[in-house]
Amino acid sequence: MGLTINNNLEAMDASRNLNGTENSLSTAMQRLSSGLKINSAADDVAGYAISQSLQSQVNGLNQAGENIQDAVALAQTAQGALNDVNGMLQRVRELSVEYANGTTSEEDQKAIISEVGQLTDEIKRVGETTSFNGKNLLNASEEIKFQVGANDGESISVSTIKLYSAIESKLEPATLGERLLNGLGEAEKEEVKEFKKEIETEEKEITKLQETLAKGGKTEAEVKEVNKEITEFKTKVGELNESIAKLNKEHPPTGLKELDEAISTVSGLAGEFGAVQDRIQYTQANLEVYSQNLTSAVSAMVDVNMATEMTNFTKLQVLQQAGVAILSQANQLPDAALKLIE
């Protein structure tokens, strides 16, 4: 190559190589400082697109894990309230058993119904006020959905009921006492009343006949006839009592049975919240494994190998120093032309 002044091709070549080294060194420094080998789409177009897609799944799974924590707290809140309601229902049933006992005085029965009324009001209050983050849990018939995955449709739901409405008729203090003591309807009650009236009449007749016998003065035949009438009256009384017993058997008291149904309703709802809680806790364990595996895939794609990159960085530093030195030498080549001029 000839000796020229206008175009120093050796310097241009050295400068081009030095620029390439500077660009590579800048990329290496960016990777070392960020810990990422893909810092923008320009670094790896396909890798960038894939990593962003995977990262969105990881972010979604992590948020779903937080959603599950909220869902567990909601389920526990509902279960706590339902446990309290069941405790109050158990107390109402205990009082009802006491009320139905024949030795309980009228004053005691009034006190029992008063306490039942207070407990009923508290059950109603709990049902109407139990909420989680503004959402009523026991005062509406609806479906609560928990988003437990990163994509559409990955949800778990639990159904709620309007608690007090579901058990109100079984608790009504105004009718509970009557239902505990007698399960008869109005027609059956009238029938029993008539039977008792007849029994009273028959017993009066028996008393009269017995008084007649007590006075004496009757012949043996007359005494026999009176005893026969007494027996007939007693038989009629027995038949009337059997009829009353049959009616009571056919129409048993409903208070305790209905309270058992109320307890079963509340227990069933608590069980549903408990089952959902168990399920979503298993779901959370699965999400953690899933998220970890996806994070590993993202890391393999975008995280820089620090040891390898540091080795590359050191090499580029040496090349930079060499490039600067060679460019300096190349820039001095045109000086030789001055020697010819001299």
Side-chain angles (χ1 to χ4, degrees):
M1 183 177 295
L3 186 61
T4 62
I5 296 176
N6 291 327
N7 294 297
N8 188 343
L9 297 179
E10 290 80 2
M12 292 172 64
D13 189 45
S15 176
R16 178 175 55 81
N17 288 326
L18 182 59
N19 286 337
T21 300
E22 290 287 352
N23 289 336
S24 296
L25 189 61
S26 176
T27 299
M29 292 178 70
Q30 184 183 39
R31 289 175 176 175
L32 288 170
S33 62
S34 68
L36 300 173
K37 63 182 176 184
I38 300 178
N39 288 282
S40 67
D43 294 333
D44 183 346
V45 176
Y48 180 82
I50 295 171
S51 66
Q52 289 300 308
S53 177
L54 290 175
Q55 188 61 53
S56 71
Q57 291 294 303
V58 171
N59 294 340
L61 291 171
N62 292 340
Q63 182 58 55
E66 294 183 17
N67 291 354
I68 285 176
Q69 293 296 326
D70 291 339
V72 168
L74 182 147
Q76 289 174 334
T77 299
Q79 288 177 81
L82 291 168
N83 286 341
D84 289 341
V85 170
N86 248 339
M88 287 185 279
L89 286 174
Q90 292 289 354
R91 175 57 180 165
V92 170
R93 194 182 190 287
E94 180 184 340
L95 291 169
S96 299
V97 171
E98 181 182 359
Y99 185 100
N101 188 27
T103 62
T104 305
S105 68
E106 186 175 339
E107 289 300 315
D108 288 340
Q109 288 179 337
K110 288 180 180 178
I112 288 172
I113 291 300
S114 176
E115 184 175 347
V116 168
Q118 292 295 324
L119 290 170
T120 300
D121 288 344
E122 180 60 15
I123 290 172
K124 182 178 181 181
R125 189 196 66 79
V126 170
E128 291 176 346
T129 61
T130 299
S131 63
F132 183 86
N133 197 27
K135 179 176 286 293
N136 289 325
L137 303 182
L138 305 174
N139 196 31
S141 296
E142 62 179 352
E143 189 177 65
I144 300 175
K145 286 188 176 182
F146 307 122
Q147 182 67 29
V148 295
N151 303 307
D152 290 337
E154 296 180 352
S155 62
I156 294 174
S157 60
V158 61
S159 297
T160 66
I161 62 174
K162 197 165 185 177
L163 180 65
Y164 186 69
S165 296
I167 61 176
E168 180 179 8
S169 62
K170 301 173 177 61
L171 287 174
E172 182 55 52
T175 62
L176 182 59
E178 185 178 351
R179 286 186 284 120
L180 286 168
L181 295 177
N182 197 335
L184 301 175
E186 291 303 319
E188 290 80 11
K189 288 178 183 178
E190 287 299 322
E191 196 171 353
V192 168
K193 192 181 295 184
E194 291 298 323
F195 286 154
K196 288 183 176 180
K197 194 180 294 183
E198 283 188 58
I199 289 172
E200 188 178 350
T201 301
E202 299 295 326
E203 287 178 340
K204 285 180 180 179
E205 291 298 326
I206 291 172
T207 301
K208 288 180 183 179
L209 291 171
Q210 288 174 337
E211 288 175 352
T212 299
L213 288 177
K215 290 178 181 179
K218 299 286 184 182
T219 64
E220 186 176 342
E222 288 174 331
V223 170
K224 188 175 181 181
E225 183 63 29
V226 171
N227 282 327
K228 181 182 177 183
E229 289 182 35
I230 290 174
T231 301
E232 289 175 352
F233 281 126
K234 285 183 177 181
T235 300
K236 185 67 181 293
V237 169
E239 290 173 352
L240 291 169
N241 280 322
E242 285 179 5
S243 296
I244 292 174
K246 183 180 179 182
L247 279 173
N248 285 327
K249 186 176 181 181
E250 291 173 349
H251 304 276
T254 59
L256 293 177
K257 177 184 175 183
E258 291 183 349
L259 286 173
D260 287 338
E261 291 172 354
I263 290 171
S264 178
T265 297
V266 174
S267 298
L269 185 57
E272 185 170 350
F273 276 105
V276 166
Q277 179 181 337
D278 288 342
R279 179 183 175 185
I280 58 181
Q281 285 177 325
Y282 280 112
T283 301
Q284 183 178 30
N286 174 260
L287 287 182
E288 290 173 353
V289 174
Y290 190 12
S291 176
Q292 181 179 343
N293 290 334
L294 284 183
T295 300
S296 176
V298 173
S299 176
M301 190 170 295
V302 304
D303 287 347
V304 70
N305 185 317
M306 296 296 287
T308 300
E309 197 60 41
M310 193 62 204
T311 300
N312 183 52
F313 177 71
T314 302
K315 180 191 76 172
L316 292 171
Q317 279 186 313
V318 173
L319 283 174
Q320 182 192 41
Q321 293 169 8
V324 169
I326 295 300
L327 179 60
S328 175
Q329 292 296 321
N331 284 334
Q332 294 178 15
L333 288 177
D335 290 347
L338 296 176
K339 300 294 183 182
L340 295 175
I341 296 172
E342 292 174 358

